[in-house]
Amino acid sequence: MKIVVCLKLIADPDIIEFDITTEKLGSIYLVLDPIDYYVLEEGLALRQKWGGEVIAVGVAPKEGDEILRNALLYGADRAIRLWHDELQGADTWLVSQVIKQGLEKIGVDLILCGARSKDTGSGFMVSALAHHLNIASATGIINLEVGSDKKLIAHKKLPRGQRETYSLELPAVLGIEEGINEPRYVAPFSKTYREGMRKEVEFSEASLSGLKGKQLITSLRFTQPRPRVKVGVNISALSMQEKLKLIRGELGREKELFEGSPEEAAKKVFARLREILK
Amino acid sequence: MSPVSLTYWGIPGYVIFWVLFIVAMVLFLRRTYKLWRYLQLGKQWDRFDHILKRILTAFFHVFKQWCQFKTLSLKDLSGLGHVFMAWGFFIFVIYYFLFIIVGAGFGISETMKNSSFFYYYSWVMDIAAPFVILAALWGIIRRYIIKPSRLRGEQTIEALVILITVFIHPMTHLLKEATSIALGHLPAGLGSSPPIISSALSQLFSGNTLSSVQSANIGLFWAHWGIVLFVLVYIAYSRYLHIIAAPFNILLSPSRPKGALKPIDFVATEAFGITNINDFTKKQLLECYSCVVCGRCQDACPAYATGKPLNPKKVIQDIKKHLLVGPQLIGNMAEASAANPGKVLAGGVIAEDEIWACTTCGTCIESCPVCNDQIGIIVELRRKLVYEGRFDKGHERTLQRVTRDYNPWGIRWNNRAKNTGIEEAKKGEKYDCIYWIGCVASFDERVREVAQAMAKILKAAGLRFAMLGVKEKCCGDFVRRLGDEGLFQKLASENIRMLREFDFDFILTHCPHCFNTIKNEYPQFGGEFKVVHHTQLIHDLLKEGKIRLQESRQESKEKVIYHDPCYLGRYNSIYQEPRQTLKKIFDEIIEFPRNRNKSFCCGAGGGNTWKEQEAGYKMSVERLEEAMRAAPQILATACPFCFLMFQEAIQIKGNGDGINLRDIAEIVERFLY
């Protein structure tokens, strides 16, 4: 069975430096989307059970080589990076077509990707791939079994612990949900790692002429949360009325608008705070 | 006339004497050679640096019987018996070697006998003999009648034979000499009075006929020599072997600092860890020969004491059994391994549960009289499991978290050391010290207060200090002890490269694990830094008057009990400084019954903090109960992991009788002038 696992390189949303004054992104740390650890593990686990090949695929600039190399070190049989410089900032629609291009030469039984990414989180990739490749798809998969005669039994995660079970015929693309498995750990220089060290990431340049449709979504800006003031409350000192307000989330909320230039407003804010805290 | 000069059934006594000797010698050498061949199954020896120092260390360890004195206590006097037996053995062996092998062998025994040296020597043997007899008798009573827990299941025939030979041998010597004296033979050597004890015993024969005393004398002579030769052979066939193996075992002990594990060279070696006998070093196999199954390591092991599957004595003995069957198994290693998938060491010898249960506390090594390195073996076995990708689930998740976020908690790395209030180090600035916060204080709110307290002390002392913030990565201590040397070396080299960018005199840390790893292990990768533990610094600052304590303190009346962390005490010998500091504050410091180098592990080391809990109960609870029996008000620690463990234990025990858990830095900061 040829299993393709799609890996996405993202800017770690937890660790972004953002300058509020210039509204410019500072350092970003490119990492593997956290959900893809589960995706890769699912591919490796399936290979262990039913044999075959695990091929890691990523659409990324050369920084993406690292996550693909890690996939090899964790036991993937092949890793392929697809890219064209003009793909910078491309959306799901275009990227899914690039992946289709890359997979044409391979001949795939099963494609696994994350149900949704941690950065854009549209959850669209599964449907887009299914459309371009004209194959079956299901997303939000929390459990996977391969039945006899190449039929897939996929369990979809629904709210509040419910599950729906599907049977799919291969080839198919599945959106893998977090928690489907426990990703393994491969220690540096261990047996699997050493085997991975002997492999190379393959590169294939995408052909833009084959891509249909224009970019539908462009990112305008990224904003971080405004600083919030937290009020410390001594619960034992509250009156009954105040305690009720606290439970309803109404305690300590006062809205005041301070007008003026930044310096004037700041002075007013400080004066008011000093009053309150006296 | 010595019985050896007589003729027996036409054969001269001398001939019988030497023939018996040669036969025993052949049996002994044959077996020893076979055991030597088995040793050759291992990898290199690799420890002959500083050979003179090694020889002297081993010599004094053995002849001073430090092997016994290091574990001797008023509660456990068994080592004293061995001291007598060992010295008795040395005394008699020297006699046999000098006066029989050399003297008789080279025909100079007459000259040697006519010396006052020989006279005094015979007195020495005479006085030593009763001590050995009593020691052996006590040994038999202890092992077979009293049966202490350490010797549970060790009431073996082999041990009985050994103890009986030790018991009978000096008796035959004394009685032989007694009959000689009764026969009116001159005292040995140049001197007037025969040795005192044999003389007293000779009275026993005063009523007997001359010929019966002569027969007794002859019989005792040959019985004595027979036992000597039997022991010679038995050395190669029993745990007597430690007589030869242990001195070499001690001589080949690692010269690395105690807290430093052996690195793996990933360029030179493809696979790592111990799969089968060939992967042990010869020194490690020698440890199997040196082990006398005394059970001190088993008694001391905190994992064993709290019901975990690990028993360090069993680990060594399992390897020994496997080694002695080894040569026959070599051809079938693969089959044996396939038949026993859950067990490491092809042949199915040591279970994974046992290997992961170790906290690397070091009590086994500390208490071992022959200086075995049980932890070295366990770490190598863990390395093999890591190589094969076999982990305890808890450990596996933790290693993933360290890989991604450089800390075992899995909290995003950009949150490290937030809100400590300590200045972040800048390149180009000169600092007295870099305060290494470590993974616990960086992410745990309660332990962060320890770092903040220490920062106040540093400020009061006027030291220019800073922390590394998010640039600091996990020091890698537990990663290495779990057997993941690859991740450890990655963390170490990244930390070293980062540290080199700053200008400072020393690195300060409140965590003994970081202290041990950066001080003793980072030099293996080119990171040579001066590292100071906060208890050392506080002690020095108080001594130099750079910080002062308040004069009168109500709290001085409180009773404080101090717990020695494994990695501060046993591994780095820092016992005094925390105590002296506490003595400056409190009137009374209570000691745990198991204190200093016998301190009982809190259970956090070796990655055990993150292990999936399985058998037995928590070591921290055991230790807290030990503390509570002394009814202290304060439990003082010097390690953030001990702190976490005791916090948990106090919750489990339901408030622990109101015991207050404090780090030494917090105690000192509270009483800063």
Side-chain angles (χ1 to χ4, degrees):
Chain A
M1 180 152 49
K2 283 221 175 89
I3 307 167
V4 166
V5 299
C6 300
L7 305 178
K8 186 174 187 186
L9 184 73
I10 61 169
D12 197 335
D14 295 333
I15 307 181
I16 286 194
E17 285 172 21
F18 184 77
D19 190 335
I20 294 180
T21 45
T22 60
E23 284 206 347
K24 283 222 161 45
L25 268 181
S27 313
I28 56 166
Y29 292 87
L30 294 172
V31 295
L32 178 66
D33 192 318
I35 203 170
D36 289 338
Y37 288 104
Y38 297 96
V39 176
L40 175 63
E41 173 62 27
E42 196 58 26
L44 295 171
L46 280 174
R47 181 187 63 184
Q48 253 165 273
K49 278 189 262 183
W50 279 282
E53 220 187 328
V54 170
I55 304 160
V57 168
V59 178
K62 68 170 175 3
E63 287 84 352
D65 271 340
E66 195 180 326
I67 58 167
L68 289 164
R69 193 171 304 118
N70 280 336
L72 289 173
L73 295 171
Y74 265 57
D77 298 282
R78 287 172 66 187
I80 306 170
R81 182 169 69 84
L82 308 160
W83 188 246
H84 190 287
D85 285 333
E86 287 184 35
L87 285 170
Q88 189 66 42
D91 67 4
T92 314
W93 184 245
L94 290 175
V95 170
S96 58
Q97 290 177 67
V98 172
I99 295 178
K100 176 200 173 192
Q101 266 183 24
L103 295 184
E104 256 155 10
K105 308 166 205 143
I106 299 179
V108 173
D109 295 304
L110 181 63
I111 307 175
L112 302 175
C113 62
R116 72 202 66 76
S117 65
K118 199 169 175 189
D119 56 356
T120 33
S122 67
F124 181 42
M125 179 59 79
V126 178
S127 312
L129 278 175
H131 170 85
H132 295 307
L133 294 163
N134 202 20
I135 55 177
S137 75
T139 191
I141 302 305
I142 196 70
N143 199 0
L144 201 53
E145 303 162 78
V146 179
S148 51
D149 60 290
K150 282 200 144 192
K151 273 211 174 59
L152 260 183
I153 312 289
H155 301 261
K156 182 194 174 85
K157 180 180 180 186
L158 295 172
R160 292 190 301 278
Q162 298 170 95
R163 298 275 183 271
E164 182 159 9
T165 308
Y166 299 117
S167 156
L168 296 159
E169 275 188 31
L170 296 180
V173 54
L174 293 172
I176 299 296
E177 192 62 69
E178 263 182 358
I180 187 176
N181 54 41
E182 277 251 28
R184 71 194 58 189
Y185 171 71
V186 171
F189 303 107
S190 62
K191 193 152 90 177
T192 310
Y193 192 98
R194 287 265 190 202
E195 283 163 15
M197 279 168 82
R198 291 189 258 272
K199 302 182 192 140
E200 292 284 332
V201 176
E202 301 160 43
F203 174 71
S204 174
E205 191 165 49
S207 154
L208 294 178
S209 61
L211 302 186
K212 290 188 293 243
K214 58 184 166 80
Q215 178 109 330
L216 297 174
I217 297 178
T218 4
S219 175
L220 287 181
R221 87 172 73 86
F222 172 85
T223 46
Q224 286 210 301
R226 291 189 306 274
R228 285 170 193 272
V229 176
K230 286 209 170 152
V231 182
V233 170
N234 182 358
I235 294 187
S236 48
L238 293 178
S239 70
M240 200 56 220
Q241 293 294 338
E242 287 171 332
K243 278 193 190 144
L244 283 169
K245 275 196 183 164
L246 178 68
I247 293 168
R248 289 199 296 266
E250 294 161 9
L251 189 69
R253 282 186 191 268
E254 275 191 50
K255 267 194 198 164
E256 277 197 53
L257 201 56
F258 298 98
E259 296 193 336
S261 71
E263 290 82 13
E264 291 165 3
K267 285 205 189 92
K268 288 184 190 172
V269 170
F270 261 122
R272 183 79 183 95
L273 281 174
R274 242 183 252 118
E275 267 183 55
I276 295 172
L277 293 170
K278 217 179 287 191
Chain B
M1 284 308 282
S2 169
V4 81
S5 325
L6 303 173
T7 310
Y8 305 85
W9 309 287
I11 308 171
Y14 282 109
V15 175
I16 300 176
F17 186 89
W18 286 109
V19 165
L20 284 174
F21 175 71
I22 289 167
V23 167
M25 216 40 198
V26 166
L27 287 171
F28 168 75
L29 287 172
R30 256 188 46 184
R31 173 69 176 175
T32 312
Y33 179 66
K34 190 170 181 194
L35 292 172
W36 168 259
R37 288 295 310 278
Y38 286 169
L39 272 188
Q40 300 308 306
L41 289 171
K43 295 193 291 195
Q44 75 290 356
W45 281 112
D46 85 0
R47 274 194 210 123
F48 295 108
D49 54 300
H50 305 104
I51 188 71
L52 190 65
K53 179 162 167 239
R54 286 175 175 278
I55 291 174
L56 288 173
T57 309
F59 182 85
F60 285 114
H61 191 108
V62 173
F63 281 95
K64 248 176 36 193
Q65 282 289 289
W66 178 241
C67 46
Q68 302 306 316
F69 284 115
K70 73 173 182 173
T71 51
L72 205 62
S73 69
L74 284 173
K75 282 178 76 178
D76 187 355
L77 288 169
S78 57
L80 201 57
H82 182 278
V83 171
F84 295 141
M85 291 193 240
W87 282 340
F89 178 85
F90 300 144
I91 291 169
F92 278 94
V93 163
I94 291 172
Y95 169 73
Y96 298 134
F97 183 73
L98 279 181
F99 295 103
I100 298 180
I101 311 304
V102 174
F106 289 92
I108 51 171
S109 51
E110 281 309 310
T111 330
M112 293 174 106
K113 279 190 186 141
N114 291 329
S115 63
S116 38
F117 174 69
F118 189 36
Y119 171 70
Y120 290 125
Y121 205 86
S122 60
W123 269 79
V124 168
M125 288 196 289
D126 195 71
I127 294 172
F131 283 101
V132 180
I133 293 170
L134 286 171
L137 185 63
W138 175 241
I140 294 171
I141 293 173
R142 191 169 170 271
R143 184 177 282 258
Y144 294 90
I145 299 174
I146 297 180
K147 296 193 225 187
S149 65
R150 188 204 300 161
L151 295 173
R152 199 182 301 129
E154 292 298 335
Q155 286 70 32
T156 57
I157 307 275
E158 179 198 351
L160 189 61
V161 168
I162 290 176
L163 282 167
I164 286 178
T165 55
V166 179
F167 180 65
I168 293 187
H169 167 273
M171 279 177 75
T172 57
H173 172 79
L174 286 176
L175 291 171
K176 160 170 71 84
E177 292 303 306
T179 51
S180 286
I181 292 168
L183 288 172
H185 292 167
L186 290 169
L190 289 177
S192 43
S193 17
I196 186 168
I197 298 181
S198 326
S199 298
L201 285 172
S202 66
Q203 303 300 324
L204 291 173
F205 299 95
S206 54
N208 300 53
T209 62
L210 188 67
S211 61
S212 63
V213 179
Q214 273 173 334
S215 306
N217 182 256
I218 293 169
L220 284 163
F221 174 85
W222 291 107
H224 185 80
W225 187 238
I227 290 182
V228 170
L229 293 178
F230 172 77
V231 168
L232 173 65
V233 175
Y234 208 49
I235 286 177
Y237 281 90
S238 71
R239 72 186 67 171
Y240 255 142
L241 187 61
H242 77 280
I243 297 174
I244 305 176
F248 286 103
N249 196 38
I250 297 164
L251 189 142
L252 292 164
S253 292
S255 51
R256 302 190 287 275
K258 244 196 247 186
L261 292 177
K262 195 160 121 182
I264 300 177
D265 182 349
F266 290 111
V267 176
T269 46
E270 163 81 20
F272 49 83
I274 289 173
T275 308
N276 52 43
I277 284 291
N278 303 84
D279 297 317
F280 285 102
T281 62
K282 296 186 174 94
K283 194 273 181 189
Q284 284 169 326
L285 296 178
L286 186 64
E287 287 177 9
C288 303
Y289 292 162
S290 310
C291 172
V292 286
V293 207
C294 73
R296 282 180 176 83
C297 58
Q298 171 191 289
D299 251 18
C301 178
Y304 184 78
T306 51
K308 316 289 188 308
L310 173 67
N311 180 346
K313 178 183 87 177
K314 178 178 175 290
V315 170
I316 299 275
Q317 287 301 307
D318 281 346
I319 296 169
K320 179 181 183 183
K321 278 184 221 146
H322 185 67
L323 169 65
L324 295 181
V325 185
Q328 288 96 305
L329 260 191
I330 286 174
N332 294 315
M333 288 283 179
E335 287 168 26
S337 165
N340 296 281
K343 293 199 173 188
V344 196
L345 275 206
V349 181
I350 303 172
E352 284 185 49
D353 281 352
E354 298 173 50
I355 297 169
W356 293 122
C358 178
T359 65
T360 68
C361 74
T363 330
C364 51
I365 298 177
E366 188 72 19
S367 58
C368 180
V370 297
C371 299
N372 274 350
D373 185 7
Q374 290 88 335
I375 291 181
I377 290 178
I378 289 172
V379 170
E380 287 294 334
L381 291 168
R382 285 180 172 188
R383 285 174 173 176
K384 154 71 157 100
L385 290 173
V386 167
Y387 181 75
E388 302 267 304
R390 286 146 69 178
F391 299 94
D392 167 87
K393 255 287 161 239
H395 290 156
E396 186 168 11
R397 289 183 203 128
T398 310
L399 290 170
Q400 276 170 331
R401 299 196 286 252
V402 174
T403 308
R404 280 185 236 177
D405 285 303
Y406 313 118
N407 71 80
W409 317 108
I411 300 174
R412 302 313 319 266
W413 61 263
N414 61 336
N415 291 314
R416 179 178 277 264
K418 252 192 188 164
N419 302 325
T420 53
I422 299 175
E423 178 197 338
E424 266 193 52
K426 295 184 202 56
K427 291 181 214 182
E429 300 260 348
K430 171 93 173 64
Y431 300 99
D432 291 316
C433 76
I434 292 284
Y435 190 179
W436 182 274
I437 308 292
C439 292
V440 185
S442 293
F443 296 102
D444 182 280
E445 278 184 22
R446 175 63 182 91
V447 180
R448 188 197 304 151
E449 295 174 20
V450 172
Q452 289 168 330
M454 191 63 212
K456 289 210 184 94
I457 297 174
L458 291 170
K459 272 209 187 77
L463 285 172
R464 178 118 172 76
F465 68 99
M467 69 162 186
L468 295 159
V470 301
K471 296 201 185 73
E472 186 187 286
K473 297 191 171 100
C474 178
C475 67
D477 153 80
F478 79 90
V479 172
R480 187 176 222 195
R481 274 133 192 84
L482 279 179
D484 192 351
E485 179 77 4
L487 180 57
F488 168 73
Q489 289 190 10
K490 179 164 176 284
L491 290 165
S493 26
E494 286 173 19
N495 276 325
I496 292 170
R497 194 180 317 132
M498 179 269 302
L499 282 166
R500 287 213 186 105
E501 293 170 353
F502 296 98
D503 189 1
F504 53 89
D505 283 338
F506 63 94
I507 297 174
L508 171 72
T509 178
H510 55 255
C511 175
H513 293 268
C514 299
F515 172 72
N516 179 65
T517 292
I518 302 177
K519 177 165 192 268
N520 296 321
E521 300 192 294
Y522 276 20
Q524 291 171 351
F525 307 99
E528 305 263 359
F529 305 104
K530 178 168 175 209
V531 190
V532 175
H533 187 254
H534 76 319
T535 52
Q536 291 178 307
L537 185 63
I538 290 173
H539 169 266
D540 290 347
L541 290 175
L542 281 171
K543 198 160 88 160
E544 293 163 18
K546 295 212 172 105
I547 53 172
R548 280 158 57 207
L549 297 169
Q550 295 164 16
E551 280 306 322
S552 64
R553 297 170 285 276
Q554 257 181 303
E555 289 85 351
S556 301
K557 295 277 177 288
E558 289 190 342
K559 295 206 290 182
V560 64
I561 190 168
Y562 174 66
H563 166 80
D564 289 284
C566 303
Y567 274 79
L568 195 64
R570 258 188 298 278
Y571 278 107
N572 287 285
S573 307
I574 297 174
Y575 303 111
Q576 280 307 97
E577 290 87 329
R579 288 175 166 81
Q580 286 176 358
T581 301
L582 287 172
K583 284 205 179 88
K584 289 196 163 89
I585 296 173
F586 296 97
D587 295 337
E588 188 189 348
I589 305 181
I590 312 174
E591 294 284 355
F592 278 92
R594 292 177 286 199
N595 64 61
R596 291 189 174 77
N597 62 333
K598 295 201 172 81
S599 176
F600 188 88
C601 182
C602 72
N608 202 46
T609 316
W610 298 284
K611 185 172 187 317
E612 290 244 307
Q613 282 310 307
E614 22 45 71
Y617 61 100
K618 288 191 184 295
M619 293 171 217
S620 53
V621 171
E622 163 87 18
R623 187 61 164 171
L624 183 66
E625 285 173 355
E626 191 181 343
M628 280 159 65
R629 284 194 276 273
Q633 275 84 47
I634 299 176
L635 170 55
T637 61
C639 171
F641 282 102
C642 294
F643 196 97
L644 290 178
M645 292 294 115
F646 285 130
Q647 238 185 348
E648 189 183 29
I650 288 173
Q651 280 180 348
I652 293 174
K653 291 294 289 183
N655 198 32
D657 288 348
I659 204 171
N660 283 317
L661 181 60
R662 303 250 182 281
D663 184 276
I664 294 214
E666 296 182 306
I667 294 175
V668 170
E669 188 264 330
R670 183 129 171 263
F671 297 114
L672 266 187
Y673 184 78

